[in-house]
Amino acid sequence: MRSFIAIGMALVAGCGDNLADDEDLSVPDLATATTLPEPAERLIPKICSTQSWESVRYDAKDSIVRAIPSTTGAAVFMVPKSGGMLRGFQVNGRGDVMGNLEGQKIRSNAMFTDLSAARVDDRLMVGAVIGTQTSVMAIRDDLQDYRELALVDGNFMGTSTMMHVQNTRVTTTGGASGMLTTGFDANWALLGTVVVARSVPVSMTSVAYGNDAMISWSTPTECHVQRLGAGIESARPFACLNGRIAADPATYGGWLVYERDGGIMLSRIVADAQNQIAGELQLVRFGTSPRIAYDGAHYWASYIDARGEVVIGVLDTSGVLHGGAINGTDPLAGAYDVTMIGGSPWVVAIDGSGVGATKICL
């Protein structure tokens, strides 16, 4: 990847994309500060390390990238948006590529256009879209083999391929029939598909929520959030396009980030409230491709700014994003992801310099 410049700044919700020039973006040195800052000011991310995976093969800059934690570090999966094979590679906790340095051709017998991924019960699970259906498959840890569990209806899928809903493993998809759940038993055998909502999505996302699953989807005019096991659905009269959701069952809530009217919006999720979508904030006036991840203590939000660069930071409790842009990381809309490796967020991206990653620390 290109060189990266850390930015120490706060992006205040509702204030737009107030990115300063690079020379004004130094990170405060807390070790030599003469006065202790307020707690919110300590939420200053910095770049800990970068990785350039020049040997990793990919088929198009305009790809979908999904990165998920694994037992050794992370697994990264890619498909071109225009259609093509499923590729993947693994990295260890330091960000070094493991195994085949070019990555693996996992599946080349279909034209996949979108994907999701998860680790469930110590298995790598991937969902890959083929036309109006989604192939749900288990991937071997070395990425050299796969087993297709089902081909289910729906050309949209949850960000997390599979989640637990009580004692059942569940995949969520969306399409012309509405919002669907497909169940799998303890032996990964198909149990069947059920329609959980008739509204037809234009985008959707999902996240594991303890022993439940939380899904969010958008129609052109409405934003929906539903906990599948609890059977509770909430809706708001605005779109929440290309959303991502992160939640913590210990605190009964989380955050939903999404696109609307050219900017990035943020809604708090309150799982024990009558309406689970509790209000709305403008995270930034101009931006695309939001991402969010939870590290067990902090929510990390990210997006692509008006200059085409990835911005990442940590959200405080009021929804203010403390962070900034990673100079030189400028992927296309779907070609980056945020994942946790060793408790720290990593931005994994395909851009003009190839495939690479940046580790962020507080």
Side-chain angles (χ1 to χ4, degrees), residues 295-317:
D295 66 7
H298 304 100
Y299 288 93
W300 293 85
S302 180
Y303 61 90
I304 297 176
D305 69 11
R307 300 180 302 195
E309 294 184 329
V310 172
V311 172
I312 186 168
V314 61
L315 287 171
D316 68 21
T317 56

Side-chain angles (χ1 to χ4, degrees), residues 204-223:
M204 66 171 292
T205 186
S206 63
V207 69
Y209 185 74
N211 200 32
D212 202 346
M214 187 177 290
I215 62 174
S216 176
W217 69 96
S218 181
T219 71
T221 58
E222 290 184 329
C223 182

Side-chain angles (χ1 to χ4, degrees), residues 62-329:
D62 194 8
S63 291
I64 302 296
V65 174
R66 286 290 290 124
I68 60 167
S70 67
T71 54
T72 55
V76 182
F77 300 97
M78 304 171 288
V79 298
K81 276 188 175 181
S82 59
M85 74 174 69
L86 171 65
R87 291 181 181 267
F89 63 98
Q90 286 190 305
V91 298
N92 60 22
R94 298 184 302 274
D96 302 319
V97 177
M98 300 167 54
N100 186 345
L101 296 181
E102 293 187 353
Q104 296 291 334
K105 297 179 180 179
I106 300 172
R107 190 171 172 186
S108 59
N109 60 346
M111 295 291 285
F112 301 110
T113 57
D114 199 359
L115 66 87
S116 68
R119 190 166 187 90
V120 178
D121 296 331
D122 219 22
R123 297 284 185 91
L124 288 170
M125 309 300 301
V126 169
V129 171
I130 314 169
T132 60
Q133 295 182 300
T134 296
S135 173
V136 181
M137 59 192 108
I139 309 291
R140 207 166 73 186
D141 275 357
D142 62 7
L143 310 186
Q144 294 185 22
D145 199 6
Y146 73 92
R147 172 189 167 195
E148 185 175 71
L149 303 180
L151 187 63
V152 301
D153 288 338
N155 59 324
F156 296 104
M157 74 191 97
T159 315
S160 180
T161 304
M162 190 176 291
M163 301 159 290
H164 283 281
V165 177
Q166 299 171 357
N167 297 319
T168 303
R169 301 175 176 121
V170 168
T171 290
T172 61
T173 55
S177 300
M179 298 299 300
L180 312 172
T181 62
T182 301
F184 300 86
D185 67 15
N187 296 314
W188 306 93
L190 180 65
L191 294 175
T193 298
V194 176
V195 177
V196 296
R198 289 294 180 183
S199 54
V200 177
V202 294
S203 65
M204 66 171 292
T205 186
S206 63
V207 69
Y209 185 74
N211 200 32
D212 202 346
M214 187 177 290
I215 62 174
S216 176
W217 69 96
S218 181
T219 71
T221 58
E222 290 184 329
C223 182
H224 297 257
V225 169
Q226 181 170 343
R227 282 182 289 147
L228 294 177
I232 299 173
E233 181 185 344
S234 301
R236 289 277 191 164
F238 51 76
C240 51
L241 301 172
N242 301 321
R244 290 292 182 94
I245 193 169
D248 175 22
T251 59
Y252 302 100
W255 292 98
L256 173 67
V257 292
Y258 49 94
E259 297 177 16
R260 196 173 77 247
D261 300 328
I264 304 296
M265 309 300 289
L266 179 72
S267 287
R268 189 185 297 276
I269 302 301
V270 182
D272 60 348
Q274 182 176 4
N275 194 321
Q276 299 173 102
I277 310 171
E280 184 180 54
L281 299 169
Q282 185 183 69
L283 189 66
V284 67
R285 189 169 54 176
F286 302 109
T288 62
S289 309
R291 306 284 187 266
I292 193 165
Y294 183 60
D295 66 7
H298 304 100
Y299 288 93
W300 293 85
S302 180
Y303 61 90
I304 297 176
D305 69 11
R307 300 180 302 195
E309 294 184 329
V310 172
V311 172
I312 186 168
V314 61
L315 287 171
D316 68 21
T317 56
S318 62
V320 175
L321 183 67
H322 300 262
I326 306 173
N327 192 344
T329 301

Side-chain angles (χ1 to χ4, degrees), residues 48 295 300 338-347 359-362:
C48 295
D295 66 7
W300 293 85
V338 177
T339 191
M340 294 293 162
I341 303 179
S344 296
W346 286 68
V347 175
K359 179 182 179 181
I360 310 295
C361 302
L362 279 177

